[in-house]
Amino acid sequence: MADLYFADEGALRRYKAKKIIVSILLYTFVTLFALFMLLPFVFMLIGSLTDAKSFDEFTKTANFELIGFNKWSFSNFEAIFSGQIVNRITGATEARPSFAQYYLNTLITAVGSTAVTVVTAVLAAFAFARLEFKGKNVLFTLLLATMMIPGELMVLTNYKTTKSLDWEFTFSALIFVHGVSVFYIFYLRQTFQQIPNELYLAAKVDGVGDVGYLVKVMVPIAMPTIVTIIILSLMGAWNSYVWPLLVANGGWKYDKSYNMQLVSNGLMSLFNSDIANGLDAIKIAGSMVVTFPLFVFFLIFRKYIMKGVSRSGIKG
Amino acid sequence: MAEKAIKLPAVNYDDIRDKKVIGKRRRISLPQWAVAWIVLIPALIFLVLFMFYPIINAFFMAFINDFEFVEGAGSFALGSFFKSLEEPCVNWNLFHPDVCDMYRRMPSFGFNNFVYLFQDAHFPATIANTAILVVVEVPLTIIVSLVIASFLNNIKALKGLYQTIFFLPYVTNAIALGLVFNMLFSHTPGGIINVIITGLGGKPVNFLNPSAYEYWVGDELKAVLPPASKFNQAIVIVTNSVWSGIAFKILVFMAGLATIDKQYTDAAKIDGSSGFTIWRRITLPLLSPQILYITITSFIGAFKMYSGVMSVYTNINGSGFYFGGTEGYDWMPVVGWIYKQMDPSSGNLSKPGIAAAGSLVLLAIILFITVIQFAVSKKRVHY
């Protein structure tokens, strides 16, 4: 802050008063907007904890006593995880897949696809950043051009290819079809390029080969970027919806009890199920269960995620 | 401090690269281009199989008239094309044994799929829907995030907390949150937004429900709400999209603001410029690279909108293809229409040629927007 000089005491006082008023206004606005941002989460928390029948009553009467603390329980979460949903309005019961199953499917997909994506991205970025070969620029331009192309264009053929490979309802379809990300290659290439050339030459002098240099020098230096990619890729897999809906929605191909759905698709099918009709609180609990793990993940890796996202935003 | 000059032997880097200097440990080393292609193999396999090939294939699908996948031809569009050329003549007509060829669908190249698109009752409207939503929500989201980022940049206490709160939507599941927005904007008395509206003395609003609703509170009929208008639905869609869109943009703008040298703003302060003038004349121009980047990526991303719009309707009709109104087409975006054509619930893609043609139209729109934005930005962006 620069030192400001004022003509007299009055001017200084006016300046200070103005500053206080401005900061009060700033905080008021920012706080109000923060409350707007938090409203859906608060609603989600209250809704998921309220007994399903009381919540249904609440939506019809707007009687806030119905969603008070004394009505709270974990019954909705029990229903979500046991898969036994009793429609307390009609009395009907239905066994649905447990959300634990969705968790497991999503976790396997997320870890698998992240591993494949990171390995392919590191290797490809290394070639583009450090090695010289014919056709490098053409290939790289081609890669960048694909970033413009809407995914729907590729989904059509990929769906058919998946069927021909007999990958439907398998993790292969979920993991390998998106096994490479042009954006991550691009992002990682830029980090690799910032590593000074001298290190490469020094490694050569020491008799370290190209791959050895990548593993021993480049990967450790670029670790923050790689961690960012891992985190973004895990989050992307957790939230993916359209592709799993096409290739792994349910598991009736092999047997009814076999379920391949990921969390988003499982959630969607819960919303659609007749049994959850009128049980909005259970649906909200489902949403909560899908959102919560990512929240915990975010709070643990907050610094990495926010730094990584803002950096990838500027450079991407 | 006196430094002793150390004489290093002159190093010829080319020699090092070719390993002439390293004498002792001889090992077989591949030329660089070979190493490059080897490490590229894993990425290339996936790229070729699941990206380059599908893109080229989609062009064939779009330009083969009334394209459909033929059993046994795999995913290759031309394969289906030739396979259907060879289709044996199945004669269904006992009385005219030579008539079968007349009914055989002969594959051909042409623009039929595109003609279908623009004769469709809904496709042109989906382009208009998407364009309207994009034109409203992208500038709104950018302005809101710009204002909040600038405000956050000017406060010190609790800055980290606010930043985290505004970032939360980035890590929430769009479908989960869509349901919550649907309920917040519920037409029933328990809809929180309607509680607020009526609490402020307003009349309840039907935001999303496609049918009329009798608004009973207790035993009293307060109002009969008409079916949700397109405008009311758009309020929910835009609110949801602004809510979930600002997280990333605020973060990028904050990062940009952090790089602006305090000297400029301090100098302006000493000259007696007001806060707003400083923001308008100094901060904004210096932030223009970030604003350009965000504008381009937001417009492209927004034209591909699908789950965001679909999710706010989930609790009304969760088919994935319902976008308001009695027919489900009120705010259907282009991508929603394309997915509806694919509808794989029957176990096969129902209209792949038309879906491919629709995707190509979307691609053309995106390219067009990008070209225009780059042309405009050349004059407007300060680096």
Side-chain angles (χ1 to χ4, degrees), chain A residues 1-4 15 26-27 29-31 33-34 36-41 43-44 55 58-62 64 116 120 123-124 126-128 130-134 139 142-143 146-150 152-161 163-165 167 176-177 179-180 182 185 200-201 204-211 232 235 238-239 241-242 246 264 267-268 271-272 280 283-284 287 290-291 294-295 298-299 302 305-306 309-310 312-314 316, chain B residues 13 16-17 19 22 25 27 32-33 35-37 39-40 42-44 46-47 49-55 57-58 61 69 74-75 144 147-148 151-152 154-157 160 162-173 175-177 179-181 183-184 188-190 192-193 195 216-217 239 243 246 248 251-252 255 266 269-270 290 293 300 304 306 310 314-315 318-320 335 338-339 342 344 347-349 352 355-356 359-360 362-363 366-367 370:
Chain A
M1 183 66 211
D3 292 321
L4 295 179
Y15 176 78
L26 282 185
Y27 273 102
F29 179 84
V30 172
T31 308
F33 212 86
F36 163 70
M37 299 304 284
L38 288 175
L39 177 66
F41 297 118
F43 180 79
M44 202 153 127
F55 190 83
F58 166 76
T59 59
K60 288 177 184 130
T61 58
F64 277 86
V116 175
T120 54
L123 291 175
F126 172 60
F128 284 121
R130 174 59 59 226
L131 304 174
E132 290 303 326
F133 57 99
K134 258 187 195 156
L139 189 60
L142 214 60
L143 284 194
T146 59
M147 282 171 73
M148 291 281 294
I149 296 188
E152 295 68 45
L153 210 63
M154 303 168 212
V155 157
L156 289 158
T157 307
N158 284 343
Y159 175 75
K160 281 305 277 192
T161 308
K163 284 199 122 186
S164 321
L165 291 170
W167 276 3
F176 293 124
V177 174
V180 66
V182 175
I185 293 177
Y200 179 65
L201 300 170
K204 280 266 142 140
V205 172
D206 289 343
V208 177
D210 285 321
V211 176
L232 291 181
M235 291 191 340
W238 188 269
N239 286 333
Y241 171 72
V242 172
L246 286 170
S264 299
L267 189 63
M268 198 67 178
F271 294 166
N272 289 342
D280 281 357
K283 295 180 185 176
I284 298 175
S287 298
V290 168
T291 316
L294 214 54
F295 258 53
F298 168 63
L299 290 178
R302 194 173 67 96
I305 294 175
M306 289 178 72
V309 170
S310 75
S312 70
I314 290 167
Chain B
Y13 286 119
I16 297 176
R17 190 167 301 175
K19 298 209 169 180
I22 310 151
R25 243 179 40 184
R27 40 149 117 197
Q32 241 185 33
W33 62 266
V35 177
W37 286 107
V39 295
L40 274 173
L44 279 181
F46 292 123
L47 277 171
L49 200 55
F50 299 123
M51 226 176 227
F52 295 154
Y53 157 60
I55 290 167
N57 207 28
M61 283 154 70
F69 284 110
S75 58
V144 168
V147 168
I148 289 177
F151 280 10
L152 284 181
N154 278 316
I155 64 174
K156 285 200 183 87
Y162 283 119
Q163 257 185 310
T164 308
I165 291 174
F166 290 128
F167 191 70
L168 284 179
Y170 193 84
V171 292
T172 45
N173 186 296
I175 291 164
L177 255 291
L179 175 88
V180 172
F181 266 87
M183 290 180 183
L184 285 174
T188 60
I192 301 298
I193 302 297
V195 168
W216 292 84
V217 179
T239 312
W243 185 90
I246 62 170
F248 175 68
L251 204 64
V252 171
D266 285 347
K269 256 181 219 163
I270 291 165
Q290 277 83 10
Y293 167 74
I300 294 175
K304 297 191 236 175
Y306 169 65
M310 180 266 291
T314 43
N315 211 26
S319 66
V335 174
I338 292 171
Y339 280 132
M342 291 186 202
N348 207 344
L349 297 173
S359 315
L360 285 186
L362 182 62
L363 174 63
I366 289 171
L367 286 178
T370 315

Side-chain angles (χ1 to χ4, degrees), chain A residues 169-182:
Chain A
F169 307 112
T170 66
F171 285 111
S172 303
L174 296 170
I175 291 172
F176 293 124
V177 174
H178 295 132
V180 66
S181 154
V182 175

Side-chain angles (χ1 to χ4, degrees), chain B residues 209-221:
Chain B
N209 196 330
S211 40
Y213 179 78
E214 291 183 348
Y215 196 89
W216 292 84
V217 179
D219 294 332
E220 193 186 344
L221 179 66

Side-chain angles (χ1 to χ4, degrees), chain A residues 183-287:
Chain A
F183 175 68
Y184 295 153
I185 293 177
F186 180 66
Y187 181 28
L188 205 54
R189 170 183 163 269
Q190 279 191 313
T191 311
F192 280 168
Q193 276 179 335
Q194 286 164 4
I195 299 171
N197 231 346
E198 284 73 19
L199 283 180
Y200 179 65
L201 300 170
K204 280 266 142 140
V205 172
D206 289 343
V208 177
D210 285 321
V211 176
Y213 174 69
L214 169 68
V215 175
K216 287 182 193 151
V217 181
M218 284 184 113
V219 168
I221 292 179
M223 216 38 176
T225 306
I226 294 173
V227 171
T228 302
I229 290 177
I230 291 173
I231 290 170
L232 291 181
S233 168
L234 287 174
M235 291 191 340
W238 188 269
N239 286 333
S240 63
Y241 171 72
V242 172
W243 180 246
L245 178 73
L246 286 170
V247 294
N249 198 25
W252 54 89
K253 189 181 177 193
Y254 300 114
D255 110 54
K256 275 262 180 194
S257 62
Y258 177 84
N259 193 293
M260 274 299 295
Q261 283 178 314
L262 302 194
V263 279
S264 299
N265 311 101
L267 189 63
M268 198 67 178
S269 64
L270 172 72
F271 294 166
N272 289 342
S273 66
D274 288 336
I275 200 74
N277 204 1
L279 297 181
D280 281 357
I282 289 189
K283 295 180 185 176
I284 298 175
S287 298

Side-chain angles (χ1 to χ4, degrees), chain B residues 81-162:
Chain B
F81 179 84
F82 288 120
K83 190 128 187 167
S84 46
L85 275 182
E86 294 163 5
E87 247 172 51
C89 174
V90 183
N91 186 4
W92 300 102
N93 195 326
L94 292 173
F95 303 103
H96 303 282
D98 54 329
V99 91
C100 67
D101 266 353
M102 270 174 63
Y103 294 110
R104 215 168 102 190
R105 209 170 51 86
M106 286 301 286
S108 58
F109 288 96
F111 293 92
N112 280 14
N113 293 325
F114 292 93
V115 172
Y116 179 98
L117 285 185
F118 290 98
Q119 286 174 350
D120 183 78
H122 302 290
F123 182 76
T126 62
I127 294 183
N129 285 344
T130 317
I132 293 168
L133 289 177
V134 166
V135 166
V136 174
E137 68 188 30
V138 170
L140 190 63
T141 315
I142 292 177
I143 290 168
V144 168
S145 11
L146 204 53
V147 168
I148 289 177
S150 308
F151 280 10
L152 284 181
N153 200 41
N154 278 316
I155 64 174
K156 285 200 183 87
L158 299 176
K159 188 174 171 179
L161 175 70
Y162 283 119

